[in-house]
Amino acid sequence: MSQTTEVNPDLVMERAKCNFNVLEVTHLIDGGEQNTLQRKKIENIALNDGAWKDPIGEEHMTPKEKYENSVRKTCIYGSIVKNELAELSGMESFGMNFLAVRRTADAFFKEVTPLLQQFGQFVPTILGQCTPEQLSCWLPKALGLKIIGTYAQTELGHGTFIRGLETTATYDPETEEFVLHSPTLSSYKWWAGGLGKTVNYCIVVAQLYTKGECHGTYPFMVPIRDEDTHMPLPGIKVGEIGPKMGYNTGDNGFLAFNNYRIPRENMLMKHAQVLKDGTYVKVARHGKLTYGTMVFVRVVLVSDAAFNLAKACTIAVRYSAIRRQSRPRPEEPEPQVLDYATQQHKLFIAIATAHAFQLCSVWLWDSYNVVLAQMKDGNTDTLTEFHALSSGMKAISTSDSAQLIEQCRHACGGHGYMISSGIPNLYNYVTATRTLEGDYTVLLLQTARFLVKAYEQAEAKKPLTPSVAYLAHAFSGRKTTWDSSPDGIIRSFQALAAGKIAACVRNIRKRMQAGLSQVDAWEMSTIQLVAAAEAHSRAVIADTYRREIVRLTANSSPNVKAVMEQLTILYLYYWALERTGDLLMYTSVSEKDLVDLQEAYEELLLKIRPNAVGLVDAFDLRDEILHSTLGSYDGRVYERLMEEALKSPLNKEPVNQAHFKYLKPLIQGKL
Amino acid sequence: MSQTTEVNPDLVMERAKCNFNVLEVTHLIDGGEQNTLQRKKIENIALNDGAWKDPIGEEHMTPKEKYENSVRKTCIYGSIVKNELAELSGMESFGMNFLAVRRTADAFFKEVTPLLQQFGQFVPTILGQCTPEQLSCWLPKALGLKIIGTYAQTELGHGTFIRGLETTATYDPETEEFVLHSPTLSSYKWWAGGLGKTVNYCIVVAQLYTKGECHGTYPFMVPIRDEDTHMPLPGIKVGEIGPKMGYNTGDNGFLAFNNYRIPRENMLMKHAQVLKDGTYVKVARHGKLTYGTMVFVRVVLVSDAAFNLAKACTIAVRYSAIRRQSRPRPEEPEPQVLDYATQQHKLFIAIATAHAFQLCSVWLWDSYNVVLAQMKDGNTDTLTEFHALSSGMKAISTSDSAQLIEQCRHACGGHGYMISSGIPNLYNYVTATRTLEGDYTVLLLQTARFLVKAYEQAEAKKPLTPSVAYLAHAFSGRKTTWDSSPDGIIRSFQALAAGKIAACVRNIRKRMQAGLSQVDAWEMSTIQLVAAAEAHSRAVIADTYRREIVRLTANSSPNVKAVMEQLTILYLYYWALERTGDLLMYTSVSEKDLVDLQEAYEELLLKIRPNAVGLVDAFDLRDEILHSTLGSYDGRVYERLMEEALKSPLNKEPVNQAHFKYLKPLIQGKL
């Protein structure tokens, strides 16, 4: 908020109207004043010399130029992180410092850096899958960028179902090598970030064959390009997969092997080994321990969903404060569009949701650390629960954020459709995370599997883990009493999750009694199972959001407490009103209750209205990170739109050559 | 379907399984066998010589190169239309021939041609707003492409609210000229397609001032570039607005005037005139007659929504038939993902919706012609109704199609995210149409205004127009009886629309009784008014779809009749299950009924499953128009993905220069 240019008077007015201390909410979102100070320090170091700037906007480049420009910036950014932020970076833990450093990258990369996978998957996999000797060999090289790597699991024809991967790694005891091979086109590795042109190493997941037997998939450290010339090595076919909706600066690649040999030692052998003679040895270790990287990535994705949604709301709310439209009262000027109830309905839920997901991501990470501690004591039940929780939260947060980002864009009318608004890039990024690292439907079905088991435990009066404790009440035979207090609504959300899970179990049993196999009965119930898992996840998110806000605002000033409370209630009302059918099915809610709830929701929008700009200011997103003509702190929307337009290469010459080459002959009838 | 390459065996199997005559359904969608034959003839002429091909994929170009390439193709396409399709084009009417010609453009332009507005708005406005003398002057020039034009109404700061436009046209009787002026930055014209670099004429909407008085907005024919040099004329500031989510080949532009003079005769004077001495004369004529162009555009947008959704389902269904995933039954191979209920749930509603919107667009156009005939008899009531209908249908069809296109993309997993899948371009196109020519929320509020008036008429026992006839039953005081037959569900949809409208009216009255002005009471109820208008529009669409299918399949073969019937029922079930809360509020539906409905819905998916590929084949979309690696008729998905990847310029050289320029120094620690 250090901009010194003139601020749009509407935004000045909005900021004067805000009744709470914006900085206090910033501290709350950051997790404390210290974190905010640290974050600002990091941002000042990373952003203040303008190294993130592009010679021309990336949106005017070809994908190839974008890639090259992104590599250029990666090196600048990398050296800032290495030389100036090393101490502050907090790479060792998912904490606010780590996030703050990570988020300064958004100033450099509107899409993604080709080195994302180096630290997102290559290093974590080395950490999680190597023996100590392997670790001491590869980790320093990877951390010191002596080797540039990525992680290639997905194949052209195989994603979710890892057992279906076709790439083979066959052990040859004569040479003590693994022979990597891609037997079909559908076995080509596909998607890995940085694989196309950037990396020289790749961790490849392949079916392990030794002594004529397949032992399932394992990771292998594979050099793919010459460390000196960077040329693909013989036996390697590698390239870039072509343009995508987003991530275009990330050179996602394909990779195929033609009987390509690597030393035996290049199998990552923490969990299983192949001895020199080809003997396969499984190292006894709980498979669930390999969750680490996956969980970390999920926590980051939930946090990213929150962060990018916060950007979209900041843009849309500020724009809605300066945009004026229509004249319902002829004697008055056109009102700010933020004054329209329909606009508030689109935007305020987005603010609340950004808070909810941010708090959920922190809670998820803290919970995971608790789980890890419990596992050391041999308790793995909570890990199963945690897996279901993180699956559901990843699915819902990425999906809801993507949808709400689009809602923010729609709220900006035509101008939201401009790339310079910044919102299309946010959508393209977040919608990808809905699919990657576990598709929405697949993850919710995993959560559903846990829920059905938990239901059976509840039925058998066995103990339940906390997130499904509510299932104990699922057998009372009567509907949960509706009560419009926050806790009452959360109980109702749990009741409808319980009701939906129970309905699924009934369906599955009914279908099995009718002669279907368990597999078929499950399959036929999957539409409802997804809905049940969604309901459960929403109940957990709502509960977590509410609980965390109550805890975090315990000592806040009254107005901060009030506005944070309003947002949590808004979130609960919104989702109750989105699920009236379920509430009528599974709780005692009456039609009158729902009419009252709608009215209360509309009144709440009016209460939040004066604080809306303050609320998005509290996200404290620097203009450099927002990249938005519509959302800058100073609200110079039309000026910025015009400035950006003038940067278009088409505007560098008054007449485009296409006129003389094509149009003029057409006009003159010569075509 | 003339491809001769080898077809993926899964698609061969699917096609063998289809139990109905695909061609018969194609005829049905086209509106008769004659139309299909004509369409194929048009496609053969326009597409068969491959003139639509690009030297390199547009996705690899800069926006500037894309524009230039698009102008090149515009001229080729234009000459094909002019020289070879003139007779068949049917430009004079919105009929199947017109559509067929228009749709062949999709082979040439993945986004849009810069000349879209020439025929989309420039010519129609000339037709609708000129005096006979003006018409004889400008129409031949515009039709013969002697002048290239567009239509500029929206300004940087003004969209929906036309009265708020700032551009002025002040009459100067001394020179008998209008002086056009842009007093502020927010008054700059913004968005008009082709305005940036392509057109030399522009119809500009400005506030008319004469004798010191403002008479509201009127259109003016304005030369903006020299007809010889194509240079912007003195007093004109014109350029391109920069990259957007889509439409990037359309050089949308900005335009500002610095006291720019045009002859008096350049005001389009059909509806009002300014005499030589500056006297303003309003020509007596019903304002509603100017609806013509707008209605035409809306019909095209509903039809486009259907057509683009048909493309997305074709892609996603064919891909889902060849994609195999997971192995729920260990003894069997991985099933086609189309066998999963969750996948069917995502895709089959998209097929039904494409049919529904296509039939609605044709019905809308036919209705409009009926309305026009009635207006000649002086009856304008039906025009008001028609306006509400077309607003609602435009809003719902563009919004639902965009959302379902995304759903189809999600159903294609990661590969849907590739530009080469074709789906991202479809989304970018259709989501724009949700905003342009009347934003979703704004249009539904217009429909709502009609509904509230209709409700008051029903209350006063006055006659009602057909689409709101159901409101007559809104005062019975009891809930509509649920009945799961198609007609029963449609009645329920009407009942819940009626219930929602009644609730809105009650709210508005309650708020007015509490002292609010009508304007404020309306404004506070807008969230619910939008929901009511949505419910009404959905009821109309469902009713129209059902009625038209029953009519069109009266003489169809039994299996065609059956599958078409299944799709309409699927559509009704789907939306009933999406609106359980409303049904429980406004009809007698029981919880048991809803459980049964869910089960019936799931069984219906299974029934449709074997015909799914046949159904999308029946859309008969040529590969050249689909532009999809995932959706081609032959199902060579992985081959095509790979072929496209290899076309990426990044793959033209084994090592990218960025490696030596940036990465190698980084690796060597020199950065």
Side-chain angles (χ1 to χ4, degrees):
Chain A
M1 297 189 208
S2 57
Q3 289 84 351
T4 54
T5 48
E6 204 174 307
V7 174
N8 180 298
D10 281 329
L11 284 184
V12 174
M13 175 181 79
E14 291 296 333
R15 285 170 182 141
K17 218 158 53 177
C18 174
N19 80 2
F20 67 89
N21 181 339
V22 170
L23 195 58
E24 199 182 326
V25 173
T26 303
H27 295 159
L28 199 145
I29 295 169
D30 281 339
E33 184 174 1
Q34 274 311 310
N35 283 341
T36 301
L37 290 172
Q38 199 79 318
R39 175 174 59 76
K40 283 179 178 291
K41 198 168 152 189
I42 290 168
E43 287 172 357
N44 281 335
I45 293 169
L47 307 182
N48 273 8
D49 73 346
W52 49 271
K53 284 182 188 163
D54 290 320
I56 61 160
E58 282 189 336
E59 58 276 24
H60 297 298
M61 300 179 185
T62 66
K64 182 165 182 265
E65 290 164 348
K66 270 192 202 181
Y67 166 71
E68 291 163 358
N69 185 50
S70 180
V71 173
R72 179 185 66 77
K73 287 188 292 186
T74 292
C75 294
I76 298 172
Y77 180 69
S79 78
I80 293 175
V81 172
K82 198 167 134 194
N83 301 328
E84 303 177 54
L85 291 173
E87 238 183 282
L88 291 166
S89 72
M91 288 299 289
E92 75 291 340
S93 71
F94 178 83
M96 281 309 295
N97 274 13
F98 169 78
L99 277 188
V101 171
R102 192 167 178 280
R103 286 170 179 181
T104 58
D106 288 12
F108 287 78
F109 310 104
K110 286 182 200 166
E111 303 192 43
V112 75
T113 149
L115 253 63
L116 177 69
Q117 295 305 315
Q118 177 86 1
F119 297 100
Q121 291 206 296
F122 190 60
V123 167
T125 306
I126 291 173
L127 283 166
Q129 309 274 339
C130 282
T131 62
E133 308 82 68
Q134 292 178 321
L135 203 64
S136 66
C137 167
W138 288 318
L139 189 62
K141 286 187 188 171
L143 285 177
L145 292 175
K146 295 295 157 200
I147 58 178
I148 313 282
T150 188
Y151 177 87
Q153 175 176 299
T154 300
E155 296 174 353
L156 197 41
H158 310 277
T160 294
F161 183 61
I162 299 169
R163 278 183 290 145
L165 294 176
E166 294 180 78
T167 304
T168 54
T170 309
Y171 185 64
D172 177 354
E174 292 206 10
T175 59
E176 295 181 11
E177 288 173 320
F178 285 103
V179 183
L180 289 171
H181 194 61
S182 309
T184 59
L185 176 60
S186 55
S187 76
Y188 278 36
K189 294 294 174 188
W190 194 268
W191 276 120
L195 176 60
K197 310 306 285 186
T198 306
V199 305
N200 50 17
Y201 272 76
C202 183
I203 294 174
V204 172
V205 179
Q207 300 286 358
L208 167 64
Y209 281 86
T210 179
K211 296 188 171 182
E213 206 180 325
C214 180
H215 296 279
T217 57
Y218 284 94
F220 298 83
M221 176 67 79
V222 185
I224 60 168
R225 285 175 180 270
D226 185 287
E227 283 190 43
D228 188 40
T229 64
H230 206 59
M231 285 291 287
L233 293 166
I236 295 283
K237 185 170 166 188
V238 64
E240 191 257 343
I241 62 172
K244 300 139 290 180
M245 281 176 75
Y247 288 73
N248 281 309
T249 51
D251 73 314
N252 300 69
F254 64 81
L255 174 64
F257 303 102
N258 183 10
N259 291 309
Y260 180 77
R261 288 174 173 262
I262 54 171
R264 185 183 67 92
E265 294 77 13
N266 281 27
M267 172 176 165
L268 304 196
M269 296 213 198
K270 185 172 182 181
H271 301 300
Q273 301 185 353
V274 172
L275 305 183
K276 285 186 181 175
D277 69 348
T279 306
Y280 169 81
V281 184
K282 195 164 169 85
V283 179
R285 191 176 283 275
H286 204 293
K288 286 175 178 171
L289 272 180
T290 61
Y291 277 175
T293 312
M294 190 185 71
V295 168
F296 181 77
V297 170
R298 282 191 187 166
V299 170
V300 170
L301 291 175
V302 176
S303 163
D304 273 7
F307 188 59
N308 287 302
L309 180 55
K311 290 184 199 167
C313 334
T314 302
I315 296 166
V317 168
R318 286 180 182 161
Y319 175 67
S320 300
I322 77 103
R323 179 73 172 185
R324 292 173 169 276
Q325 187 173 289
S326 297
R327 195 173 288 148
R329 295 166 205 81
E331 69 287 1
E332 291 176 24
E334 295 185 55
Q336 296 163 287
V337 294
L338 194 51
D339 284 338
Y340 291 109
T342 49
Q343 193 81 351
Q344 296 160 13
H345 179 50
K346 287 173 195 165
L347 297 179
F348 297 170
I349 182 64
I351 301 175
T353 304
H355 286 176
F357 293 161
Q358 172 56 22
L359 296 178
C360 281
S361 77
V362 174
W363 175 84
L364 207 56
W365 186 241
D366 293 345
S367 308
Y368 181 59
N369 288 311
V370 172
V371 169
L372 279 186
Q374 291 177 336
M375 280 177 60
K376 286 192 185 128
D377 307 335
N379 177 357
T380 59
D381 277 9
T382 48
L383 187 66
T384 314
E385 177 187 41
F386 182 81
H387 185 245
L389 274 176
S390 67
S391 298
M393 278 195 182
K394 187 272 186 184
I396 301 295
S397 65
T398 53
S399 170
D400 281 8
S401 283
Q403 196 240 308
L404 288 167
I405 287 168
E406 273 300 80
Q407 194 160 301
C408 287
R409 184 175 67 75
H410 291 144
C412 296
H415 291 332
Y417 194 73
M418 302 290 306
I419 297 295
S420 76
S421 76
I423 309 187
N425 274 335
L426 298 177
Y427 179 71
N428 289 342
Y429 177 84
V430 175
T431 192
T433 67
R434 188 187 195 273
T435 305
L436 57 82
E437 296 288 326
D439 168 74
Y440 179 83
T441 304
V442 171
L443 287 187
L444 285 181
L445 285 173
Q446 288 179 9
T447 303
R449 211 167 275 280
F450 166 78
L451 292 174
V452 168
K453 278 189 196 140
Y455 183 88
E456 288 162 354
Q457 285 186 300
E459 208 173 22
K461 310 249 183 257
K462 287 187 190 157
L464 297 165
T465 46
S467 72
V468 283
Y470 65 83
L471 287 174
H473 313 296
F475 305 92
S476 71
R478 51 192 167 74
K479 289 183 172 186
T480 297
T481 309
W482 168 259
D483 149 14
S484 68
S485 73
D487 288 342
I489 296 178
I490 290 168
R491 269 195 307 276
S492 292
F493 287 168
Q494 293 169 342
L496 67 88
K500 280 169 180 271
I501 298 162
C504 288
V505 172
R506 274 198 303 275
N507 267 330
I508 293 171
R509 289 178 183 166
K510 185 173 144 193
R511 282 167 172 152
M512 284 172 72
Q513 279 155 11
L516 285 188
S517 69
Q518 189 165 12
V519 166
D520 290 330
W522 173 272
E523 168 51 29
M524 283 207 57
S525 307
T526 47
I527 296 169
Q528 294 175 65
L529 284 162
V530 168
E534 190 210 325
H536 165 75
S537 304
R538 289 200 185 284
V540 173
I541 291 168
D543 184 31
T544 305
Y545 175 33
R546 173 76 188 169
R547 229 178 334 96
E548 289 296 297
I549 281 289
V550 168
R551 186 174 70 79
L552 291 169
T553 58
N555 299 311
S556 296
S557 62
N559 286 3
V560 164
K561 200 181 273 198
V563 73
M564 291 293 103
E565 162 100 1
Q566 283 164 2
L567 284 177
T568 59
I569 296 178
L570 179 92
Y571 191 80
L572 297 173
Y573 286 3
Y574 182 93
W575 280 106
L577 290 166
E578 285 284 309
R579 292 294 180 266
T580 52
D582 295 334
L583 290 175
L584 287 163
M585 293 273 275
Y586 300 117
T587 76
S588 71
V589 77
S590 69
E591 294 168 19
K592 167 84 171 52
D593 291 331
L594 292 176
V595 170
D596 291 346
L597 192 68
Q598 176 72 35
E599 203 168 310
Y601 172 77
E602 289 165 3
E603 278 164 19
L604 201 48
L605 292 175
L606 285 181
K607 281 186 201 152
I608 294 170
R609 164 67 188 88
N611 285 322
V613 169
L615 281 167
V616 300
D617 282 351
F619 287 122
D620 195 20
L621 295 161
R622 286 173 59 139
D623 286 352
E624 297 94 326
I625 287 175
L626 269 184
H627 297 291
S628 174
T629 46
L630 308 187
S632 295
Y633 185 81
D634 63 14
R636 291 174 61 251
V637 168
Y638 301 131
E639 292 86 342
R640 283 178 199 273
L641 278 168
M642 196 62 210
E643 286 157 18
E644 279 308 306
L646 291 177
K647 290 180 192 162
S648 169
L650 274 172
N651 291 328
K652 298 299 175 199
E653 43 197 20
V655 180
N656 184 278
Q657 50 148 331
H659 173 77
F660 298 109
K661 227 164 145 184
Y662 309 114
L663 275 176
K664 199 157 184 185
L666 182 77
I667 292 171
Q668 295 175 336
K670 290 181 185 157
L671 279 180
Chain B
M1 298 191 207
S2 56
Q3 289 83 351
T4 53
T5 50
E6 205 174 304
V7 173
N8 180 297
D10 282 328
L11 283 184
V12 173
M13 175 181 78
E14 292 294 334
R15 286 171 182 140
K17 216 158 53 179
C18 174
N19 81 0
F20 67 89
N21 181 341
V22 170
L23 195 58
E24 199 183 327
V25 173
T26 303
H27 294 160
L28 199 145
I29 296 169
D30 282 339
E33 183 174 359
Q34 273 312 310
N35 284 341
T36 301
L37 291 172
Q38 199 79 321
R39 175 174 60 74
K40 284 180 178 290
K41 196 167 155 191
I42 289 168
E43 286 172 358
N44 282 335
I45 294 170
L47 308 181
N48 273 7
D49 72 347
W52 48 272
K53 285 182 187 161
D54 291 320
I56 61 161
E58 282 189 337
E59 57 277 25
H60 298 297
M61 301 179 185
T62 65
K64 181 166 182 266
E65 289 165 349
K66 270 191 201 181
Y67 166 71
E68 291 162 358
N69 185 50
S70 181
V71 174
R72 179 186 67 78
K73 287 188 292 187
T74 293
C75 294
I76 297 172
Y77 180 69
S79 80
I80 292 175
V81 172
K82 200 168 132 192
N83 301 328
E84 301 177 56
L85 291 173
E87 237 183 283
L88 292 167
S89 72
M91 287 300 289
E92 75 292 338
S93 72
F94 178 83
M96 280 309 294
N97 274 12
F98 168 78
L99 276 188
V101 171
R102 192 167 178 280
R103 285 169 180 182
T104 58
D106 288 11
F108 288 78
F109 310 103
K110 287 182 199 166
E111 303 192 44
V112 76
T113 149
L115 253 63
L116 177 69
Q117 295 305 315
Q118 177 86 3
F119 297 101
Q121 290 207 297
F122 189 60
V123 167
T125 307
I126 291 173
L127 283 166
Q129 307 275 337
C130 283
T131 61
E133 308 82 68
Q134 291 177 322
L135 204 64
S136 66
C137 166
W138 288 316
L139 188 63
K141 286 187 188 173
L143 285 176
L145 293 174
K146 294 295 158 200
I147 58 178
I148 313 282
T150 187
Y151 177 87
Q153 176 177 297
T154 300
E155 296 175 354
L156 197 41
H158 310 278
T160 294
F161 183 61
I162 299 168
R163 278 183 290 146
L165 294 176
E166 294 179 78
T167 304
T168 54
T170 309
Y171 185 65
D172 177 356
E174 290 204 10
T175 60
E176 295 180 11
E177 288 172 321
F178 286 103
V179 183
L180 289 170
H181 194 61
S182 309
T184 60
L185 176 59
S186 55
S187 76
Y188 278 37
K189 293 296 173 187
W190 193 268
W191 277 120
L195 176 60
K197 311 304 286 185
T198 306
V199 305
N200 50 16
Y201 272 76
C202 182
I203 293 174
V204 172
V205 179
Q207 299 286 359
L208 167 64
Y209 281 85
T210 179
K211 296 188 170 182
E213 206 179 328
C214 179
H215 295 279
T217 58
Y218 284 95
F220 298 83
M221 176 67 79
V222 186
I224 61 168
R225 285 177 179 270
D226 185 286
E227 282 189 44
D228 188 40
T229 65
H230 206 59
M231 286 291 286
L233 294 165
I236 295 283
K237 185 171 166 188
V238 64
E240 192 258 341
I241 62 171
K244 300 138 289 180
M245 281 178 73
Y247 288 75
N248 281 309
T249 50
D251 74 314
N252 301 69
F254 64 82
L255 174 63
F257 303 102
N258 183 10
N259 291 310
Y260 181 78
R261 288 174 173 263
I262 54 171
R264 186 183 67 92
E265 294 77 12
N266 281 27
M267 173 177 165
L268 305 195
M269 297 211 198
K270 185 172 182 183
H271 301 299
Q273 301 186 354
V274 172
L275 306 182
K276 285 184 181 175
D277 69 347
T279 306
Y280 169 82
V281 185
K282 194 164 169 83
V283 179
R285 191 175 282 276
H286 205 293
K288 286 174 179 173
L289 271 180
T290 62
Y291 278 176
T293 311
M294 189 184 72
V295 168
F296 181 77
V297 172
R298 283 192 185 163
V299 171
V300 170
L301 291 175
V302 176
S303 163
D304 273 7
F307 187 59
N308 287 301
L309 180 55
K311 290 185 198 167
C313 335
T314 302
I315 295 167
V317 168
R318 286 181 182 161
Y319 175 67
S320 299
I322 76 102
R323 179 73 172 184
R324 292 173 170 273
Q325 187 173 289
S326 298
R327 194 173 288 147
R329 295 166 204 82
E331 69 287 2
E332 291 177 22
E334 296 185 55
Q336 298 163 287
V337 295
L338 194 52
D339 284 338
Y340 291 108
T342 48
Q343 194 80 351
Q344 295 160 12
H345 179 49
K346 287 173 196 165
L347 297 179
F348 297 171
I349 182 63
I351 301 175
T353 305
H355 286 177
F357 293 162
Q358 173 55 23
L359 296 178
C360 281
S361 78
V362 174
W363 174 83
L364 206 55
W365 186 242
D366 292 345
S367 307
Y368 181 61
N369 288 311
V370 172
V371 169
L372 279 186
Q374 291 177 335
M375 279 175 63
K376 285 192 186 126
D377 307 336
N379 177 356
T380 60
D381 277 6
T382 50
L383 186 65
T384 313
E385 176 187 41
F386 182 81
H387 184 245
L389 274 175
S390 68
S391 298
M393 279 194 180
K394 187 272 185 185
I396 300 296
S397 65
T398 54
S399 171
D400 281 8
S401 282
Q403 197 240 307
L404 288 167
I405 287 168
E406 274 300 80
Q407 193 160 302
C408 288
R409 184 175 68 75
H410 291 143
C412 296
H415 292 330
Y417 194 72
M418 302 290 306
I419 297 295
S420 76
S421 76
I423 309 186
N425 273 336
L426 298 177
Y427 179 71
N428 288 343
Y429 177 83
V430 175
T431 192
T433 66
R434 188 187 196 273
T435 305
L436 57 82
E437 296 288 326
D439 168 74
Y440 179 84
T441 305
V442 171
L443 286 187
L444 285 182
L445 285 173
Q446 288 179 9
T447 303
R449 211 168 275 281
F450 166 77
L451 293 174
V452 168
K453 278 191 195 139
Y455 183 88
E456 287 161 355
Q457 285 184 301
E459 206 173 24
K461 311 248 182 260
K462 287 186 189 158
L464 297 165
T465 47
S467 71
V468 284
Y470 64 83
L471 287 174
H473 312 296
F475 305 90
S476 71
R478 51 192 169 74
K479 290 183 172 185
T480 298
T481 308
W482 168 258
D483 150 13
S484 68
S485 72
D487 288 342
I489 296 179
I490 291 167
R491 268 196 306 276
S492 292
F493 288 168
Q494 292 170 341
L496 67 87
K500 281 168 179 270
I501 298 161
C504 288
V505 172
R506 274 198 304 276
N507 267 331
I508 293 170
R509 287 177 185 168
K510 187 174 142 193
R511 282 168 172 151
M512 285 173 71
Q513 277 156 12
L516 286 188
S517 69
Q518 188 165 13
V519 167
D520 290 329
W522 172 271
E523 168 51 29
M524 283 207 57
S525 308
T526 46
I527 296 170
Q528 295 175 64
L529 284 161
V530 167
E534 189 210 326
H536 165 76
S537 304
R538 290 201 184 284
V540 173
I541 291 168
D543 184 32
T544 305
Y545 175 32
R546 172 78 190 167
R547 227 176 338 96
E548 289 296 297
I549 281 290
V550 168
R551 186 176 69 80
L552 292 168
T553 58
N555 299 313
S556 295
S557 61
N559 286 2
V560 164
K561 200 180 273 198
V563 71
M564 292 293 104
E565 163 99 359
Q566 283 163 0
L567 284 177
T568 60
I569 296 178
L570 179 92
Y571 190 80
L572 298 173
Y573 286 2
Y574 182 95
W575 280 106
L577 290 166
E578 285 284 310
R579 293 292 181 269
T580 53
D582 295 334
L583 290 175
L584 287 164
M585 293 273 275
Y586 300 117
T587 76
S588 70
V589 78
S590 70
E591 294 169 19
K592 167 84 171 53
D593 292 331
L594 292 176
V595 170
D596 292 346
L597 193 67
Q598 177 72 34
E599 203 168 310
Y601 173 76
E602 288 166 3
E603 278 164 20
L604 202 46
L605 292 176
L606 284 181
K607 281 186 202 153
I608 294 170
R609 164 66 187 88
N611 285 323
V613 169
L615 282 167
V616 300
D617 282 351
F619 287 123
D620 195 20
L621 296 161
R622 285 173 60 138
D623 286 353
E624 298 93 325
I625 286 175
L626 269 184
H627 297 291
S628 174
T629 47
L630 307 187
S632 294
Y633 185 81
D634 63 15
R636 291 175 62 251
V637 168
Y638 300 132
E639 293 86 343
R640 281 177 201 273
L641 278 168
M642 197 63 208
E643 286 157 17
E644 279 308 306
L646 291 176
K647 290 180 191 160
S648 169
L650 274 171
N651 291 328
K652 298 298 175 199
E653 44 199 18
V655 180
N656 183 278
Q657 50 146 334
H659 172 76
F660 298 107
K661 228 164 145 183
Y662 310 114
L663 274 177
K664 198 156 187 187
L666 182 76
I667 292 170
Q668 295 175 336
K670 291 182 185 158
L671 278 180

